[in-house]
Amino acid sequence: MRHDPSVAGPTDPRDDAELLRAHVAGDPAAFETLVRRHADRLWAVALRTLGDREEAADAVQDALLSAYRKADRFRGESAVTTWLHRIVVNSCLDRARRRQARPTVPLPEQGAGEPVAGGEDRDTTLTVRAALAELPPDQRAALVLVDVYGYPVADAAQILDVAPGTIKSRCARGRARLAARLGHLRNQEPSPDVTSGTARPRKEAP
Amino acid sequence: MSDTARPDDASTGVDVDLVADYQAGVLAGTPEEARVAELIATRPEWSDAAQALADADRVVLEDLAGLGAEPAPMPADVLSGLVEAIRAERSAPSSAAAGGAVVGFDAARRRRVRRARWVLGAAAAVVVVALLGLVGTSVLHDDSAKQASSARSGAAPTSTAPHPDLGPNNQPRPGLAGPTLGASGTDYTPATVVRVVRASGGSSLGAAARGQVPAQLDRLTRPDQLDGCLRAIAAGHPGTPRTVDYARFRGAPAMVVWLVQNGSSGMIVAVGPECGPDDPHLVYETVVLGAHETTPK
């Protein structure tokens, strides 16, 4: 589910900005239409950023209700979808930072109704998710947006409200950290705290 | 980035973060760019690290793209809870300003959580069925017609006797379906729990059990109490219970449960003596991946 911005859903010809304006003007169904249009993308980012279904559900709900209430403050300086993502990702980061302060562990994402990959794919996915969950929240959010879901660096920078260079750095450092944790670096054993039964053979030096 | 550096980085002084930034073009036009370029060109350890990182980066990008290709639609119960919350907000716009909308939001959240629990409960049906099967089987072993009738009819067992899977002195009986129950006497720690539980292999836990069930965990040896506790665990954790050890965790009485998915992956959770249907009283949990595991930071 790579990033593919859309301006209008199949059931409502209005674009995102028009829907938001309609909501502010009192259209009772406009915000719900907007939410339904972007629900899957927002959910995917929240789920991969938090790694926990219930936390992601709470973060998304908190964020979108907040967006509902403060829609009149949207100034159109970014796309509506970027604004929604920013609110959702910030809600996720707040939760991730709070959780980081507690002695806890990555929780399972899997919940009812979610597709389950099988066999080796499932193990690989679990391994990557687990390693991702151990990154600092800021690095994780950047990686989820850019490298997992393909958002342009500029969009991720707007969503996270940092410079594009910061996004690039967070992604590069995050991938370096993942490489170490997943055992992908040559001449390096997998990190003892996150290792994989499915780690690929390390490449030989050319 | 010392915690992500290669093992020899401390001795070689290679700054992996700096190399990563350099390769990502983050340092372009800065004095650091020329400095790192020179280090990579002139110092073998920097050159090796840069090459290794470049190779690994391609693999990690594939891993992450693979994760992104996995479908992750918003679950129906989450979407309906969200829509419900928005409608509640919409129906009480004036109270929102006064803070009343929080009530609607919280109510919606509670409904969502209840629904999610119901759905999760349905998803855990396999576990529950397995547990009922375990109780039924155990009851038959216990030769108690009354309990057998209760278990077969699906009614909640009401026995206050220790779990029938536990033999004399609360030692587990071998050869029954469902999780193996044991009382190993182990005092687990985060550092040892995965290794020790996995080493037990499940089936050998019973044979290895020599200890007694800690008194505070007696309640959880009763089938109805154990079932309620395992239901609560199943609501928040995937997998089927393979072993249950009435033991200790960091010195305190705890029931340590190994949940298995896809053969050997899954989770290990430790719950406190208060574990029950509404709250597992989670003490600790860790993900187990194949032959290895992830542990908390």
Side-chain angles (χ1 to χ4, degrees), chain B:
Chain B
M1 199 166 80
S2 60
D3 60 334
T4 65
R6 294 164 57 189
D8 60 342
D9 286 347
S11 58
T12 60
V14 176
D15 184 333
V16 178
D17 275 350
L18 207 54
V19 175
D21 281 349
Y22 173 77
Q23 291 179 334
V26 176
L27 305 179
T30 70
E32 283 289 86
E33 181 186 32
R35 188 175 75 84
V36 176
E38 186 182 351
L39 284 167
I40 290 173
T42 60
R43 300 271 292 274
E45 63 273 24
W46 281 75
S47 173
D48 287 349
Q51 186 60 54
L53 200 56
D55 290 345
D57 197 49
R58 286 189 282 274
V59 183
V60 173
L61 278 168
E62 286 175 22
D63 284 343
L64 293 172
L67 196 59
E70 215 184 36
M74 181 178 280
D77 65 301
V78 175
L79 180 59
S80 63
L82 180 57
V83 167
E84 202 176 332
I86 290 170
R87 289 176 182 171
E89 185 84 10
R90 192 168 68 207
S91 65
S94 55
S95 60
V102 174
V103 176
F105 165 48
D106 286 348
R109 172 180 290 177
R110 281 194 295 275
R111 283 192 288 276
R112 180 179 64 70
V113 169
R114 276 201 300 273
R115 190 179 300 111
R117 282 182 177 159
W118 186 89
V119 173
L120 282 167
V126 173
V127 174
V128 173
V129 167
L131 290 170
L132 288 174
L134 165 67
V135 171
T137 309
S138 306
V139 165
L140 291 174
H141 277 257
D142 206 35
D143 294 330
S144 165
K146 181 180 176 184
Q147 289 182 352
S149 171
S150 169
R152 279 194 296 269
S153 69
T158 55
S159 168
T160 56
H163 197 289
D165 266 15
L166 293 173
N169 297 324
N170 285 333
Q171 298 304 301
R173 298 175 192 270
L176 296 179
T180 302
L181 306 186
S184 67
T186 306
D187 185 359
Y188 294 97
T189 70
T192 63
V193 64
V194 173
R195 180 172 46 81
V196 175
V197 170
R198 287 181 62 93
S200 75
S203 58
S204 65
L205 181 64
R210 294 288 182 272
Q212 300 289 314
V213 175
Q216 296 92 328
L217 298 175
D218 274 348
R219 181 182 64 80
L220 290 172
T221 64
R222 285 154 40 194
D224 58 328
Q225 300 293 320
L226 177 61
D227 290 351
C229 173
L230 290 175
R231 276 174 198 265
I233 294 171
H237 302 81
T240 303
R242 176 177 288 181
T243 63
V244 172
D245 190 4
Y246 299 96
R248 292 180 177 277
F249 193 88
R250 288 178 175 142
M255 195 174 88
V256 178
V257 182
W258 182 11
L259 301 158
V260 176
Q261 270 190 313
N262 298 321
S264 58
S265 296
M267 300 193 76
I268 293 172
V269 301
V271 297
E274 300 82 13
C275 180
D278 294 328
D279 187 342
H281 283 268
L282 200 62
V283 173
Y284 180 82
E285 64 188 2
T286 188
V287 178
V288 180
L289 297 173
H292 304 283
E293 79 282 1
T294 67
T295 54
K297 299 294 286 181

Side-chain angles (χ1 to χ4, degrees), chain A residues 1 28 32 40 48 53 58 62 65 69 104-105 107 112 129 134 169 173 175 177 184 186 195 200, chain B residues 4 21 52 57 62-63 68 70 74 77 87 89-90 105 109 112 119 265 285 292-293 295-296:
Chain A
M1 191 162 61
E32 185 179 320
D40 287 350
R48 297 294 176 242
R53 185 185 190 278
D58 283 345
D62 285 352
L65 283 172
R69 293 172 188 144
T104 184
V105 296
L107 296 169
R129 281 183 194 168
E134 295 210 342
S169 178
R173 292 179 179 204
R175 290 197 303 271
R177 191 174 287 216
H184 292 330
R186 275 185 288 117
T195 52
R200 299 168 200 187
Chain B
T4 65
D21 281 349
D57 197 49
E62 286 175 22
D63 284 343
E70 215 184 36
M74 181 178 280
D77 65 301
R87 289 176 182 171
E89 185 84 10
R90 192 168 68 207
F105 165 48
R109 172 180 290 177
R112 180 179 64 70
V119 173
S265 296
E285 64 188 2
H292 304 283
E293 79 282 1
T295 54

Side-chain angles (χ1 to χ4, degrees), chain A residues 9 23 31 78 80 155 161 196:
Chain A
H23 162 62
F31 194 81
S78 64
V80 172
D155 288 2
D161 198 22
S196 165

